[in-house]
Amino acid sequence: MKLDHIGIAVSDLDASCKFYRESLGFTVSEPEELPDRQLKICMVDMNAGGAQVELLWPTHPDSAVAKFIEKKGPGIHHLCYRVEDVAAKLAELKADGVRLIDSEPRPGAHNTLVAFIHPKSAGGVLTEICQPG
Ligand code: CO
């Protein structure tokens, strides 16, 4: 298991991309739309062994990220760890009594399979696991 990305909720995607690209000098991907999650995302390569920042911008006021921003403001939203097999990891976590948001893997960005662990079981941190496609 290793850190894959840090999800950051943003209220202005263009301004955030510009900050990471121009002010900090990182490489930022083109935006990808995730219609089922009502999000547009950009990935920022952090020059950290593949670990990235995922900028999350809500495309609809009902999206979970829009509600997060409304409640807490923009900022760190989740951590994501890469695993070889999300379904197998979920089974292990379930057996350990870990509270899950997703009991089954579901499609994420760039052909990944993902699942979320409830913050109540992860020290208050929304935690995602992902498996590359
Ligand atoms: Co994520």
Side-chain angles (χ1 to χ4, degrees), residues 14 17 43 45 60 65 70 101 103 107-108 115:
D14 287 342
C17 286
M43 302 306 291
D45 184 349
H60 193 280
V65 173
E70 204 180 289
I101 292 174
S103 54

Side-chain angles (χ1 to χ4, degrees), residues 34-110:
L34 301 180
D36 57 321
R37 288 181 64 201
Q38 299 173 313
L39 286 176
K40 238 185 209 182
I41 64 164
C42 287
M43 302 306 291
V44 186
D45 184 349
M46 303 312 285
N47 301 327
Q52 296 183 303
V53 156
E54 179 184 59
L55 301 172
L56 306 156
W57 180 73
T59 54
H60 193 280
D62 287 343
S63 91
V65 173
K67 287 176 185 149
F68 175 92
I69 291 173
E70 204 180 289
K71 221 163 115 187
K72 299 184 176 173
I76 293 182
H77 179 261
H78 67 271
L79 293 184
C80 178
Y81 302 105
R82 189 183 305 180
V83 297
E84 272 180 20
D85 184 336
V86 169
K89 193 68 203 173
L90 282 176
E92 265 177 50
L93 293 167
K94 250 181 254 177
D96 285 347
V98 172
R99 191 166 155 193
L100 303 173
I101 292 174
D102 300 301
S103 54
E104 302 292 335
R106 60 186 170 92
H110 346 279

